[in-house]
Amino acid sequence: MIGKLLKRFATARRARTGEDRSIVVEGARKATGGKGKARIVMTMAVFFGIFSTISGRLVYLGFQTPDLSGGPQSRVTASRPDIVDRNGEVLATDIKTASLFAEPRRIVDADEAIEKLSTVLPEIDYEQTYHKLKSGAGFVWLQRQLTPKQQADIMQLGIPGFGFRTEKRRFYPSGETSSYIVGLTNIDNQGISGMEKYIDEQGLSDLQASGLAVAKDLKPVKLSIDLRVQHVVRDEIAAGLERYRAMGAGAVVLNVKTGEVVAMASVPDFDPNNPYNAQDKDRLNRMSAGLYEMGSTFKSFTSAMALDSGKATMSSRFDASHPIRVGHQAIHDFHGKNRVLSLPEVFLYSSNIGSAREAELVGIEGHREFLHRLGILDRMQTELPEVARPTEPKVWKQVNSFTIAFGHGVSTTPLQAAVGCAALMQGYLIQPTFLVRSQEEAMAVAKKVVSEKTVEGMRYLYSLNAEKGSARNARVPGYRVGGKTGTAEKVINGRYSKDLNFNTFVAAFPMDDPQYLVFTIADAPHPEKPGMTDVAANNAGVMAGNIIRRTAAMLGVKPDFSHENGATLVSYQ
């Protein structure tokens, strides 16, 4: 009995022991599984923390101003499109150049480094360069846009801490020839004057800022300029400047049918490849940025106004037998005929009195309206940024109208005067352009300003003046040139000078159907030879004739030698 009980107890104990082991194993399994999951979670948390820290740091740095002192800027000098003339000749292009920088932290002896550098760059500022090299910065510019020889010579010096970076700079193959039209860029290749500045204003600067101004994507900008004609114009006015010992000279060649500026120059000028004197007082684009009283050239507008008003015809007569007195002032003729003059005679003899009578016939308001209609007294609308705003009296009185009739009392630019005269040759005012433009495109923006009858009358008067008047010095055999002179006393410090003139000349050709107009100026010229006078016919007129003689064939105007004197007296019905 006891044996059975002991056997049963042993069996039960073995059962309980096995059960306990199962429970222990199961518990161990559960404990082991829980610790594994905890390790995984902890590992993920660590990695998440690390990545969060890195991401946070990147975001923080993204909002900080970058420190560029440790080396050259990564931004490359912005590319610019080529500028070409109407025939594809390059006027401006980008070239690669080296710029010198230093890493002051690597400079061992600043004095020795500057001493060596000055043997290649003698113009370098010692004190300024010394402060740069002793600044302890990571990077400083020393000299931008070196020549290849300068770069090679500096490399030969072997100065530790000096390096070079390739940049772009602007190169102007034509030099001074078209400097005022093409303009300039600054050290960062950004346009600051002329058509360079215009290009930036048309969206190039935005492309550069966004990094999209890639050289291969920039198409050349084609100007209306003909480099061949431009060279002749610049050559003639530069020769005139010296020959007449003038303060300045200038000229423009304008396509009458399209308003395109085919050539325009002003001297003194500058070399855009080395513009050290570009800001000098006498370096002014007199053609578009200079304001002057035009003198008798303005009589073109006065005679056209009288004809266009319908109050005068070619048969109209004006009393020029005695001076006109207005208060304490008197209006005289330079070489008066002291008699009644017909309208053509008023123009031919350049009568101040006759012109004043024409203005009196039209009236003050009509006179002012006509000049504004031709754009003479409004700021000219064109691509070139350097354009001056004309001046006129705030209140026009009778004496103002009289003097303005012969070119005194208002100031405008020679280019605007040329555009106004071109309007009289075809009847339409077309704002000038320095970009290529077709005749159809020009007529789409043209404004009718005078009648066909007035156009016929003005062509006749220009032709008459070339045959018998002051425009004879500008005649060119075969090209039927007509025009008008203007000799005005130069205004100095608000007073008229008795010794210095501002002379102008306007010429159109061929006069039966004018295609081109040339407007020349001579600022304070002197007689070429003893016994000669300094009137416009002897300087501005001569320059205009030389320009036409040398460029007419280039412009595609065919000569006609059927007229003995080389000009045609256009008939007027």
Side-chain angles (χ1 to χ4, degrees):
M1 186 71 179
I2 295 173
K4 292 182 178 178
L5 289 173
L6 289 173
K7 190 177 180 180
R8 192 177 296 173
F9 174 79
T11 303
R13 187 176 180 182
R14 284 197 300 271
R16 282 198 304 270
T17 302
E19 190 176 317
D20 289 342
R21 286 178 181 171
S22 299
I23 292 172
V24 170
V25 171
E26 183 65 26
R29 286 178 181 171
K30 289 182 179 179
T32 303
K35 288 180 181 180
K37 289 181 179 178
R39 288 196 189 99
I40 293 173
V41 171
M42 287 180 64
T43 303
M44 290 176 63
V46 169
F47 277 103
F48 181 78
I50 292 172
F51 283 114
S52 297
T53 302
I54 294 173
S55 301
R57 185 63 177 169
L58 289 174
V59 171
Y60 169 77
L61 292 175
F63 285 98
Q64 303 306 303
T65 302
D67 180 11
L68 300 177
S69 62
Q73 299 179 22
S74 59
R75 181 182 63 84
V76 226
T77 311
S79 297
R80 302 184 63 80
D82 285 355
I83 299 178
V84 300
D85 83 334
R86 64 186 308 112
N87 300 312
E89 295 292 330
V90 177
L91 301 175
T93 189
D94 281 345
I95 60 173
K96 291 182 179 180
T97 183
S99 291
L100 175 66
F101 69 87
E103 297 173 279
R105 295 170 187 168
R106 296 179 55 204
I107 300 296
V108 178
D109 188 336
D111 290 299
E112 182 185 6
I114 297 173
E115 186 177 343
K116 288 183 176 180
L117 184 61
S118 63
T119 61
V120 179
L121 303 175
E123 73 280 5
I124 199 164
D125 187 299
Y126 185 95
E127 185 176 352
Q128 186 183 56
T129 306
Y130 181 83
H131 286 308
K132 285 183 177 180
L133 296 183
K134 297 294 286 184
S135 66
F139 168 83
V140 291
W141 283 119
L142 294 183
Q143 187 82 350
R144 307 283 291 274
Q145 299 183 353
L146 300 170
T147 66
K149 185 179 186 306
Q150 288 173 327
Q151 182 186 14
D153 290 344
I154 294 172
M155 291 177 69
Q156 290 294 324
L157 298 175
I159 306 173
F162 279 16
F164 299 94
R165 176 186 164 195
T166 301
E167 294 189 293
K168 295 187 184 73
R169 67 165 290 184
R170 210 62 166 156
F171 176 63
Y172 303 93
S174 60
E176 300 97 331
T177 304
S178 55
S179 56
Y180 284 119
I181 295 176
V182 177
L184 282 172
T185 59
N186 61 16
I187 197 74
D188 292 315
N189 222 21
Q190 297 168 333
I192 57 175
S193 70
M195 293 302 289
E196 293 277 32
K197 183 177 181 181
Y198 167 79
I199 292 169
D200 277 28
E201 292 172 345
Q202 297 307 298
L204 178 63
S205 57
D206 294 333
L207 286 176
Q208 291 174 338
S210 61
L212 298 177
V214 182
K216 64 182 180 63
D217 297 331
L218 298 175
K219 295 182 179 179
V221 176
K222 182 178 286 191
L223 303 188
S224 58
I225 303 302
D226 187 322
L227 187 56
R228 302 169 303 169
V229 180
Q230 180 73 23
H231 171 76
V232 171
V233 168
R234 201 266 175 185
D235 183 59
E236 284 296 335
I237 64 173
L241 182 76
E242 183 177 352
R243 184 185 309 127
Y244 308 119
R245 290 166 288 133
M247 185 182 300
V252 61
V253 177
L254 195 67
N255 186 318
V256 174
K257 303 295 185 181
T258 65
E260 292 172 300
V261 176
V262 181
M264 187 178 77
S266 174
V267 289
D269 50 19
F270 61 92
D271 182 357
N273 295 306
N274 184 26
Y276 69 95
N277 58 352
Q279 298 299 320
D280 288 359
K281 186 178 179 180
D282 62 341
R283 261 63 178 183
L284 168 72
N285 183 0
R286 287 171 166 80
M287 298 307 293
S288 67
L291 289 175
Y292 308 98
E293 294 188 352
M294 293 294 159
S296 294
T297 307
F298 244 57
K299 290 170 183 172
S300 298
F301 308 127
T302 307
S303 293
M305 173 185 68
L307 291 171
D308 205 62
S309 69
K311 297 179 179 180
T313 65
M314 287 294 180
S315 302
S316 297
R317 303 175 71 78
F318 301 90
D319 186 2
S321 58
H322 56 274
I324 298 177
R325 297 194 176 276
V326 182
H328 298 291
Q329 295 178 306
I331 296 173
H332 300 269
D333 280 343
F334 186 59
H335 292 299
K337 298 299 179 181
N338 301 314
R339 61 178 176 82
V340 174
L341 302 174
S342 66
L343 189 146
E345 287 178 323
V346 168
F347 192 84
L348 183 65
Y349 302 134
S350 199
S351 170
N352 293 341
I353 299 172
S355 296
R357 295 294 186 195
E358 290 175 336
E360 184 179 34
L361 182 66
V362 175
I364 297 173
E365 288 304 316
H367 191 180
R368 185 173 185 273
E369 184 277 330
F370 186 80
L371 292 182
H372 277 283
R373 192 195 314 170
L374 291 181
I376 305 299
L377 301 181
D378 299 308
R379 191 176 189 278
M380 186 169 53
Q381 301 300 312
T382 189
E383 299 86 11
L384 203 66
E386 294 78 25
V387 173
R389 182 180 294 277
T391 63
E392 63 173 307
K394 290 183 178 180
V395 178
W396 282 45
K397 298 180 180 179
Q398 188 67 70
V399 66
N400 300 121
S401 183
F402 283 165
T403 58
I404 291 169
F406 52 86
H408 287 273
V410 296
S411 296
T412 191
T413 69
L415 180 57
Q416 281 181 271
V419 171
C421 290
L424 301 182
M425 294 295 100
Q426 64 164 346
Y428 290 90
L429 176 64
I430 304 175
Q431 292 293 347
T433 182
F434 290 84
L435 301 174
V436 173
R437 181 164 65 190
S438 67
Q439 189 169 341
E440 291 73 21
E441 291 170 333
M443 291 310 296
V445 297
K447 177 184 175 184
K448 184 72 172 177
V449 286
V450 294
S451 67
E452 291 302 318
K453 194 73 173 175
T454 301
V455 170
E456 292 176 15
M458 292 311 300
R459 290 180 182 180
Y460 171 78
L461 293 178
Y462 271 32
S463 298
L464 178 67
N465 200 39
E467 287 287 330
K468 302 179 179 180
S470 60
R472 283 175 291 184
N473 284 351
R475 290 187 304 184
V476 179
Y479 289 104
R480 310 184 300 283
V481 179
K484 181 74 182 79
T485 55
T487 303
E489 292 177 343
K490 189 173 173 64
V491 179
I492 300 177
N493 297 324
R495 294 179 177 274
Y496 289 107
S497 170
K498 298 297 182 183
D499 303 318
L500 298 175
N501 294 330
F502 183 82
N503 294 347
T504 58
F505 190 92
V506 56
F509 67 102
M511 281 314 304
D512 50 337
D513 183 19
Q515 305 293 311
Y516 294 94
L517 183 137
V518 178
F519 198 100
T520 55
I521 65 170
D523 190 354
H526 293 81
E528 181 180 5
K529 298 176 182 178
M532 295 183 67
T533 62
D534 60 354
V535 296
N538 293 334
N539 39 70
V542 174
M543 289 190 294
N546 290 342
I547 289 171
I548 294 171
R549 184 176 296 105
R550 295 176 62 184
T551 63
M554 297 177 190
L555 295 169
V557 179
K558 295 181 180 180
D560 179 1
F561 295 99
S562 61
H563 302 278
E564 183 178 355
N565 292 327
T568 295
L569 190 59
V570 176
S571 62
Y572 181 83
Q573 301 298 327

